[in-house]
Amino acid sequence: MLATVLSGALIGIDGLQVEVEIDTTLGLPQFTTVGLPEGAVRESKDRVRSAIKNSGYEFPPRKITVNLAPADLKKEGSAYDLPIALGILAAEGILAKDRLTEYALLGELSLDGRVKPVHGALPLAVMVRDRGLKGLVVPAENAEEAAVVEGIEIIGVSTLSEAFLFLNGDQSISPTRIDLDTVFNAHSRYEVDFNDVKGQEHVKRALEVAAAGGHNVLLVGPPGAGKTMLARRLPTILPNMTLAESIEATKVHSVAGLMDGQALIATRPFRSPHHTISDAGLVGGGAIPKPGEVSLAHHGVLFLDELPEFRKNVLEVLRQPLEDAKVTISRAMGSITYPASIMLVCAMNPCLCGFLGDPQHECTCAPQQVQRYRAKISGPLLDRIDIQIEVPAVKYKELSQHTPGEDSATIRARANQAREGQLKRFTGRTIFCNAQMSSRDIRKFCQLEAAGEKLLENAMSRLGLSARAYTRILKVARTIADLAGDEKIGSPHLSEAIQYRALDRK
């Protein structure tokens, strides 16, 4: 007999409906899975056989053929265990087929019939809603994550028997429902705050400017100056995350299996990969492509500590996501695109030993060593970093202060206000912050008065600023003016922006 059960596959962070067709016929007992199954899918026959027997049902001694359609799409993962098991029971007439076309099924089976969590429940729930199905049957651990999608029933099950009884109409299971606003607010709290940082007021100001305009940042300073501590607190002052951004970020983490029991990612992600990471680990890849650190930082911060220690080929692959806010991975099977709208924050020492320019420590590096160390960072990558700020060692007097500085909420309120002004300015366009302005936008929105033109000309010539610094200074000055609530860019805004080009000076 024949039965068809609905399930889903992941293409990037989007779901695609998969029909699991099961045919049981007379013949020598055999279990065959077709439709480009990956290793974990092929192994499902052993898990399914044991789960059916240990759940109290009879496994048919027949020739069983499982087809996963569309057959030209490679299927991976263990989420097909539950639909295959229930499809076999339906093909044998043990399970009624009435409700199998109303619900999609996902779940990995253990040998004793328990249903284990799977990856990608949220994007597959979106697919179910878009397909007009009634609901989705998922492992109980994935129910809250899938329930973020409104308009469909999310049925959480813990065992194969529980799923069988529900689909057979013998047991009622209440759909999982969550209050999106309540969950969003509950998960939107950060564990760190900017008032933890002692001193470094000028660096805090630079990071506030970066948060307000979406600018990439490079922190240059000796070991122990607090570069990592400052970077970890940058997400706490970024503009408030919207629900749409939260769902996008959650999709990426769901596909990667990094939800850790959360229903939503409601805080700005912060990813800090080690400098030994590969290019595939950073931007994504593999035989069956998975999202990399760049995509996991979507709508948040990607922090690269010890920037010159990263391999050159790894840093070069960052250029596309920084430019396009997405990552495209091409394989023989096709291309997959992951979102990658990030703020890049990098940190490095001023030289190999780390103490160039430090009044308390003597630098032991020769000039050639300093040059070689800094040359590890390519010009095209530096061209995409708007703010370069020096982070000096913190003095004892500042460390011993007991009065806390401004908290993250206060700084974030100013960043929110500045970003709202930018959204109004760019209404009807495809850009949302000053960092995304093109040359045409700069000419339109960053016009200078005569005094400002003269100031910038003097800075370019006397400080030896590079050509790439020109547009970066104008973008940052535009953000500084937005923070001040000024319509025009003035000399004070330009002066501050010029200070944020530490590595461009001769």
Side-chain angles (χ1 to χ4, degrees):
M1 295 182 67
L2 179 68
T4 300
V5 182
L6 301 180
S7 188
L10 294 170
I11 306 296
I13 62 167
D14 298 316
L16 177 71
Q17 181 173 297
V18 171
E19 292 185 358
V20 182
E21 301 172 330
I22 296 95
D23 179 60
T24 60
T25 58
L26 293 175
L28 291 175
Q30 185 179 1
F31 196 128
T32 305
T33 304
V34 297
L36 290 184
E38 177 260 346
V41 183
R42 290 195 300 269
E43 292 173 352
S44 66
K45 60 184 179 182
D46 298 313
R47 294 191 296 272
V48 166
R49 181 183 289 109
S50 296
I52 289 177
K53 288 181 178 179
N54 292 324
S55 296
Y57 306 106
E58 183 180 353
F59 189 84
R62 295 171 176 267
K63 180 180 179 181
I64 300 172
T65 304
V66 177
N67 178 45
L68 305 175
D72 60 346
L73 175 70
K74 184 172 286 189
K75 319 299 188 307
E76 61 158 342
S78 54
Y80 301 105
D81 291 3
L82 183 61
I84 289 174
L86 291 171
I88 291 173
L89 296 176
E92 286 295 293
I94 302 173
L95 171 64
K97 300 179 183 179
D98 301 347
R99 307 178 77 178
L100 288 181
T101 56
E102 297 178 349
Y103 292 88
L105 311 176
L106 300 171
E108 175 186 337
L109 291 175
S110 63
L111 300 185
D112 60 0
R114 287 179 293 112
V115 181
K116 295 182 176 180
V118 295
H119 299 171
L122 175 57
L124 291 172
V126 173
M127 178 272 296
V128 168
R129 181 195 62 192
D130 295 343
R131 285 279 182 172
L133 300 179
K134 186 175 181 179
L136 177 66
V137 178
V138 295
E141 289 90 338
N142 294 122
E144 285 195 359
E145 175 192 336
V148 168
V149 180
E150 299 176 331
I152 58 172
E153 293 182 4
I154 301 299
I155 308 298
V157 295
S158 300
T159 63
L160 173 61
S161 298
E162 195 174 343
F164 175 91
L165 293 172
F166 170 76
L167 292 171
N168 208 37
D170 299 330
Q171 178 179 332
S172 177
I173 300 178
S174 299
T176 301
R177 291 188 174 88
I178 63 172
D179 187 332
L180 264 183
D181 292 334
T182 301
V183 172
F184 185 76
N185 292 331
H187 289 87
S188 60
R189 296 182 178 88
Y190 294 92
E191 297 181 357
V192 295
D193 198 281
F194 244 77
N195 60 15
D196 300 332
V197 182
K198 301 290 183 67
Q200 305 291 19
E201 297 302 324
H202 72 294
V203 185
K204 293 179 185 177
R205 167 64 179 177
L207 292 181
E208 179 182 340
V209 173
H215 303 288
N216 299 325
V217 183
L218 175 61
L219 304 173
V220 184
K227 302 186 293 294
T228 301
M229 186 179 189
L230 286 159
R232 287 190 180 278
R233 283 152 180 78
L234 179 57
T236 68
I237 65 170
L238 288 175
N240 294 329
M241 202 171 192
T242 65
L243 183 59
E245 289 176 334
S246 175
I247 291 176
E248 281 188 15
T250 304
K251 277 186 177 182
V252 179
H253 283 73
S254 176
V255 169
L258 299 176
M259 291 301 296
D260 297 327
Q262 297 183 74
L264 269 179
I265 303 295
T267 55
R268 299 279 179 185
F270 179 85
R271 304 293 299 183
S272 179
H274 193 261
H275 61 77
T276 56
I277 192 171
S278 66
D279 50 357
L282 189 62
V283 299
I288 300 176
K290 296 291 184 184
E293 293 290 334
V294 171
S295 296
L296 292 171
H298 183 51
H299 290 314
V301 173
L302 176 68
F303 178 53
L304 303 183
D305 200 5
E306 303 294 344
L307 182 64
E309 301 301 325
F310 284 80
R311 292 192 292 272
K312 188 171 182 179
N313 66 303
V314 173
L315 293 179
E316 290 306 305
V317 297
L318 277 175
R319 290 161 61 176
Q320 185 218 355
L322 289 177
E323 196 73 29
D324 303 332
K326 62 183 179 182
V327 173
T328 301
I329 303 169
S330 297
R331 294 291 183 269
M333 57 175 280
S335 295
I336 292 178
T337 298
Y338 291 110
S341 179
I342 63 168
M343 269 189 67
L344 177 65
V345 180
C346 306
M348 61 179 285
N349 296 332
C351 64
L352 196 59
C353 74
F355 297 112
L356 180 66
D358 190 339
Q360 303 297 324
H361 299 84
E362 182 181 356
C363 176
T364 59
C365 300
Q368 294 84 357
Q369 288 178 304
V370 176
Q371 186 177 6
R372 282 198 300 270
Y373 178 74
R374 295 191 175 186
K376 292 181 179 180
I377 309 169
S378 69
L381 180 60
L382 275 179
D383 193 32
R384 290 162 174 80
I385 298 178
D386 296 346
I387 295 177
Q388 304 164 2
I389 186 71
E390 294 178 347
V391 185
V394 184
K395 297 178 181 178
Y396 173 78
K397 184 178 179 180
E398 295 172 328
L399 284 173
S400 60
Q401 286 180 351
H402 298 292
T403 305
E406 275 190 314
D407 61 10
S408 294
T410 304
I411 303 173
R412 185 168 62 246
R414 294 197 294 266
N416 275 328
Q417 188 174 3
R419 195 67 74 92
E420 287 171 5
Q422 293 166 42
L423 290 174
K424 291 179 182 177
R425 179 184 301 134
F426 302 132
T427 300
R429 306 173 69 87
T430 56
I431 59 177
F432 308 100
C433 61
N434 290 334
Q436 297 172 345
M437 288 192 293
S438 64
S439 298
R440 182 180 299 177
D441 297 318
I442 292 173
R443 288 194 299 270
K444 182 176 180 180
F445 300 116
C446 300
Q447 296 180 5
L448 303 178
E449 298 176 345
E453 292 278 8
K454 187 65 175 176
L455 173 63
L456 188 53
E457 181 183 355
N458 289 338
M460 295 288 291
S461 59
R462 292 187 180 182
L463 297 178
L465 296 177
S466 64
R468 75 168 70 98
Y470 176 76
T471 55
R472 306 296 162 185
I473 289 173
L474 289 177
K475 287 183 180 182
V476 173
R478 178 66 270 170
T479 300
I480 296 169
D482 290 340
L483 281 168
D486 295 332
E487 196 64 34
K488 294 184 178 181
I489 298 175
S491 297
H493 311 136
L494 273 174
S495 298
E496 182 178 350
I498 291 168
Q499 299 302 312
Y500 299 146
R501 301 301 303 179
L503 291 187
D504 276 330
R505 302 170 193 164
K506 287 183 180 178

